[in-house]
Every structure is written in C-alpha cells, then in structure tokens.
Amino acid sequence: MATLTDNFGIQEALRQLGVKEINDGTSTGTETFANGEIIESYSPVDGQLIAKVKASSKEDYERAMQKATEAFKTFRLMPAPQRGEIVRQFGEKLRTHKEALGKLVSYEMGKSLQEGYGEVQEMIDICDFAVGLSRQLYGLTMHSERPGHRMYEQYHPLGVVGIISAFNFPVAVWSWNTALAMVCGDVCIWKPSEKTPICGIACQNILAEVLKENNLPEGISCLINGDYKIGELMTADTRVPLVSATGSTRMGKIVAQAVAGRLGKSLLELGGNNAIIVTPDADIKMTVIGAVFGAVGTAGQRCTSTRRLIIHESIYDKVKDAIVSAYKQLRIGNPLDQNNHVGPLIDKDAVRMYSESLDKAIAEGGKYLVEGGVLSGEGFESGCYVKPAIVEVSEQYDIVKHETFAPILYLLKYSGEVDNAIEIQNGVAQGLSSAIMTNNLREAEKFLSVAGSDCGIANVNIGTSGAEIGGAFGGEKETGGGRESGSDAWKIYMRRQTNTINYTTSLPLAQGIKFDL
C-alpha cells in the first residue's frame, strides 16, 4: 500500500477494510491468490497511488470457478430464510464499515463523500430488502384441467452468477446483484472495474468475514480482478448461467452476443442519455435543483445523469437564466471536503472524452452558456478536474444523441404540446431514465402513458438521477433491458419450474388426448 498524504483518514479506512501492502486480486472467501499482472490504482482526487493489485490469470479464474461451483452444491440446499440471515449479517457489517468504505469509494472513484456514504447505504438497503425477500420467493398454484391433479410453479437457484461492474458505482451495483443472488441460493463471481479494484477487495473482505463466521464454504463469493480478458472468460463460460454486466453499450453488446451464443442469460445495465422535460407549468425552483444535481452529481458519471434539458419556448429564457445562475455557485475540488459539490472525473481518458465532446458540440453549432475546460494548479494536480458545462444545442446535433460520461448539460427548446418534447426525449438510442417537471396532471399522465416516455424509469417532479432500491432499476433500447434491485428483479437469478402432481390411480392426458394400451 502506498504512503498517502492523508488529510481525510484514508489510511485508517484501508486498514479497517483489510487492504494490505500488495493485494491478491483473486479471492474465494478466506483464500486469496493471484498470478497476473500488477494493477496500480491511482486516486483521481490527488493522483496518488492507493495500492497495487495482482490481476487474475486464466488459471486463477479456473480455480475460483471450481470453488464457486463446489460451493453452490452446498449453498443451494440451505433454506432461503437462513440464506437471508447471512445477508442480514452482511448488512450489519456494512453498517459498521460505512464510514471507512464510503471514504474509500469517494477517494478511489472521485465522487463526493456524501455520495460515497450514500452508495454504502444503498448496499445496506438492498441487504434489508433481500432479507425480507428470502421469505417471499413465491410461485403460483394453478388449477389443472385433469381431475385429481395439482399444478404449481416454483423457483430454484440458477448456479454461479457472474457480475461485471463499472467504476461509477464500484460497490452498490455489486451488492444489488449479490444480495439478491445469495437469498436466491446462487453463488457469485465478481469482476469489478479495473479502475476501482481496491473497492472490490474491501467488499470481498467484509463478506468473506461473514461467511467465515458462519462456517460456510469458500466460493459463495469470489473476486477476480483484471481487464476485459477476465470478463471474456466469464462470458464464455457455460458454468455461468447468468452474467450481469454494467457498463457502456459497446461493452454490453459484446457481452450479450457472447452469452447468447451459448444460450446463457444476461442482465444488462448500459448507457443512458437522460432528459428532463420542463413544461410551462413547471416549478422552476424544483427544476433547477433536480437538473443541477442530475447533471453534476458524481461529476456527470452516473448512468442516470441528466444529459439533456428540454424546455418549452415560453419559459426557456427563465429556466436557462436560473440554471446558469445556479452553476455559478458550484464549488469544484477534493470530493472528501464536504464543502465541494463536484469532484474529479475518473481518469485522464474521461477528461479527453469530455473535451472532445465539447469541441464537437461547438463545431456542430452549439453555444456555450457555461463554458467548460480542464482545471489545473493547486488542488487539481491529478489532471482529472473539469468545469461543469452547459451548451445550447439543437436536437439535430449528432453529439446530443450520444452519452458522454462527464458534467455536460445540453439545453434544447421545444414548442407546442408536451408530445413534441416527448418525441425529442425518445429520439435517442438509449432508454434508461427520464423526468418531466410539470404541475399539469394531464401532461404528467401523458408522460407516464404508453405514448409517453420510452425509458425504464420515468419520473414526475424529481430528476433523472438516483433511484430507491424498492423499485426495479434498468432501461430499454440500448440500455439493455435488464432490471436489478427491487420489485420482482429477483426472478432473473432463479430458474422457473412448473410441476404437475397426479394423486389418482389413472393417467389422463392433457387436451383430452386418448392413448389406450
């Protein structure tokens, strides 16, 4: 572990989370091992080296998979409420480590400290949800057309669930999958983003402690660190019936094709190009709060970040002036300092994509309302800090149809009825999150109707960013169609079985077919 200039207790947080000098990047619970190349994790906050991780080799992956498949044979036999008890204990450990893990998330990923704590709270919340769910894995009972027969359906564990997570939510998305998969009786093998490997090790350490205390077998939760090559091993592996992948649309298409090629199941959470529609009946103050947090929270690196603000022409100038004024109040800097609103982008590649997107928007005819740029000097030594930008654009611009993981907000104008705004909103390839700001009941209901938003998430009078774990999370079109977290998202982690029991002494056939011997 590197020697850090530590003003925010990161060294102590790493110690509490069991992060060592050189961390083995493959873990099956109590056993850690790795033989791959060294991954160095640098903080975008100050550019310092946090720690080094050994990536998993092909042989390490195989060893972890063998442990996982063996553990599944035991874990699936444990009654679901008992599995829920294990998840409950995990949630309690997370409560104990919330401050330390939240700080690590903030420091390794770059989101604000409050968002880091909030991400760990999401983990705690999904554990609570999963504990209750462990007693509610319901099937249905149906009436048979044949006398003396009973029909019902039930759900069984799938097996090994492969999880590929992204850097922007380095711990929460893993927990969404793991908590549900575990109460369903599955075991998990996780490849965290190579940009946030230390967060992955910290989470594995916490869960491994719970498994050890309950004398459960190694392999229920496995960690494999590495780049896309490790992910490819998982997506091609027939021993992994479900791959849950979060990331770019480009990555998702590769995963989907590989998993479908072996007739496996995939759960995809991909790109978002989210919009807020602002109608003449909108509450301007609420609009500003929702739009600004949506656009600059996590430095615009949420899949639900607000990318487009579609404003009716009658209030366009009023909303524009209010948003621009709010941006002047934003404080950019170290995200562990809670006086700051905006932290860094994840790395210099993200900074390059931010700059290129702004250049393209201006080249297409866009007009700066709040100019962007890369920050330098004291406090910005990592080279990952940028200015949140607002650009006035047309819906016809090509750049507006693409997602840029950065704090860039595009302002667009619409005229006429709300149907015109909905058409603009839906006119992109992505379909994750959407919102409308209006006090007009008819507009709100139209937005939520079959002729309204085509996104997986549609909100009224709140922004696009942020979601409670009680609802299913996911989107349509190039967002991938997957659903995680709440509602009945648990069903994808299980296999469905229809059962018919004949308790008579005869054997009638369905549909009245006769087959006498």
Side-chain angles (χ1 to χ4, degrees):
M1 190 164 62
T3 301
L4 303 170
T5 302
D6 198 0
N7 297 322
F8 295 94
I10 299 301
Q11 288 279 22
E12 175 59 20
L14 291 170
R15 186 194 66 78
Q16 291 181 26
L17 297 167
V19 178
K20 302 175 184 177
E21 180 80 19
I22 296 289
N23 296 286
D24 291 327
T26 309
S27 172
T28 59
T30 58
E31 184 184 11
T32 59
F33 51 91
N35 296 285
E37 298 178 353
I38 295 292
I39 299 174
E40 295 181 332
S41 179
Y42 289 88
S43 170
V45 174
D46 54 16
Q48 292 195 64
L49 176 65
I50 306 172
K52 299 178 181 180
V53 177
K54 284 184 180 179
S56 306
S57 66
K58 185 176 182 180
E59 292 72 25
D60 296 329
Y61 169 82
E62 181 59 33
R63 187 172 170 185
M65 273 301 305
Q66 289 176 1
K67 292 281 189 180
T69 53
E70 191 64 29
F72 174 63
K73 295 176 183 178
T74 301
F75 195 54
R76 66 183 177 180
L77 300 178
M78 179 182 287
Q82 292 183 23
R83 299 193 297 256
E85 168 60 16
I86 302 304
V87 174
R88 187 197 66 79
Q89 293 178 32
F90 178 45
E92 289 303 307
K93 293 280 188 186
L94 289 170
R95 285 177 168 88
T96 300
H97 293 292
K98 179 178 178 178
E99 183 175 356
L101 186 55
K103 282 183 178 179
L104 177 57
V105 168
S106 179
Y107 189 63
E108 189 174 32
M109 185 269 149
K111 64 177 57 178
S112 74
L113 185 58
Q114 282 300 313
E115 290 182 86
Y117 291 152
E119 185 166 347
V120 182
Q121 187 61 49
E122 274 195 72
M123 302 176 76
I124 295 167
D125 292 344
I126 196 65
C127 286
D128 288 350
F129 179 89
V131 172
L133 180 66
S134 68
R135 295 179 182 270
Q136 301 179 75
L137 303 174
Y138 299 134
L140 297 173
T141 299
M142 291 77 71
H143 290 280
S144 173
E145 66 185 56
R146 290 168 284 183
H149 287 59
R150 181 167 70 89
M151 291 178 61
Y152 69 98
E153 65 180 19
Q154 60 181 330
Y155 289 84
H156 293 304
L158 269 181
V160 180
V161 173
I163 304 167
I164 301 172
S165 63
F167 73 85
N168 59 330
F169 279 85
V171 298
V173 171
W174 165 73
S175 70
W176 288 0
N177 286 274
T178 299
L180 296 192
M182 284 183 65
V183 298
C184 290
D186 299 322
V187 299
C188 299
I189 184 164
W190 176 29
K191 192 200 89 65
S193 169
E194 60 269 35
K195 298 181 180 183
T196 51
I198 312 303
C199 286
I201 288 170
C203 290
Q204 177 72 356
N205 288 346
I206 295 169
L207 183 51
E209 188 176 342
V210 174
L211 297 176
K212 184 178 181 181
E213 290 171 354
N214 287 272
N215 296 314
L216 289 171
E218 285 189 336
I220 290 174
S221 175
C222 298
L223 179 76
I224 50 170
N225 264 304
D227 60 14
Y228 71 94
K229 295 177 183 176
I230 291 297
E232 287 178 344
L233 294 174
M234 182 191 298
T235 56
D237 196 333
T238 57
R239 294 169 295 182
V240 183
L242 171 65
V243 175
S244 175
T246 303
S248 68
T249 297
R250 180 194 63 80
M251 178 275 287
K253 289 180 178 179
I254 294 170
V255 170
Q257 291 176 30
V259 176
R262 58 178 177 83
L263 297 182
K265 296 200 295 184
S266 57
L267 193 172
L268 302 175
E269 297 289 356
L270 310 176
N273 191 353
N274 316 296
I276 298 177
I277 295 171
V278 188
T279 81
D281 289 310
D283 182 313
I284 303 301
K285 182 177 180 181
M286 288 176 60
T287 298
V288 170
I289 294 171
V292 174
F293 176 74
V296 308
T298 322
Q301 295 172 115
R302 292 184 175 214
C303 49
T304 55
S305 289
T306 305
R307 311 290 177 197
R308 298 172 294 148
L309 205 57
I310 305 168
I311 309 166
H312 193 270
E313 61 182 0
S314 65
I315 57 167
Y316 182 83
D317 289 337
K318 186 176 181 180
V319 175
K320 177 182 71 174
D321 292 345
I323 295 285
V324 170
S325 178
Y327 266 54
K328 293 176 182 177
Q329 302 173 48
L330 294 175
R331 293 184 295 274
I332 308 168
N334 189 320
L336 285 95
D337 181 345
Q338 297 190 58
N339 291 314
N340 293 322
H341 298 106
V342 184
L345 294 177
I346 185 65
D347 56 24
K348 291 181 180 178
D349 281 341
V351 173
R352 175 183 53 79
M353 288 187 283
Y354 158 87
S355 298
E356 289 175 353
S357 295
L358 284 178
D359 290 344
K360 186 170 183 179
I362 300 303
E364 287 191 76
K367 175 186 175 184
Y368 273 125
L369 298 176
V370 175
E371 191 167 354
V374 181
L375 296 169
S376 59
E378 185 177 354
F380 306 124
E381 291 86 356
S382 69
C384 296
Y385 291 86
V386 301
K387 299 177 185 177
I390 302 177
V391 186
E392 203 168 37
V393 296
S394 163
E395 64 183 278
Q396 305 301 326
Y397 294 176
D398 181 66
I399 189 63
V400 179
K401 301 182 186 302
H402 298 277
E403 177 188 42
T404 302
F405 239 47
I408 301 174
L409 178 63
Y410 298 117
L411 260 61
L412 302 95
K413 188 183 297 184
Y414 83 95
S415 59
E417 299 300 317
V418 71
D419 304 71
N420 298 328
I422 293 172
E423 185 176 355
I424 294 171
Q425 179 207 274
N426 293 348
V428 297
Q430 307 84 0
L432 179 53
S433 187
S434 59
I436 188 170
M437 294 292 184
T438 183
N439 289 322
N440 183 310
L441 178 62
R442 290 177 176 174
E443 289 179 334
E445 290 293 341
K446 170 61 75 68
F447 181 73
L448 300 177
S449 75
V450 67
S453 171
D454 64 1
C455 296
I457 299 170
N459 299 326
V460 176
N461 291 331
I462 61 172
T464 63
S465 188
E468 298 181 31
I469 59 92
F473 180 90
E476 300 302 319
K477 301 190 294 187
E478 287 196 355
T479 301
R483 292 297 185 276
E484 292 175 319
S485 192
S487 185
D488 65 349
W490 62 270
K491 290 182 178 180
I492 197 169
Y493 301 95
M494 305 195 82
R495 59 182 177 89
R496 189 171 185 163
Q497 186 180 80
T498 300
N499 307 112
T500 305
I501 300 170
N502 177 3
Y503 55 90
T504 72
T505 57
S506 61
L507 186 60
L509 300 178
Q511 292 83 49
I513 295 173
K514 300 296 183 181
F515 189 76
D516 297 325
L517 292 175

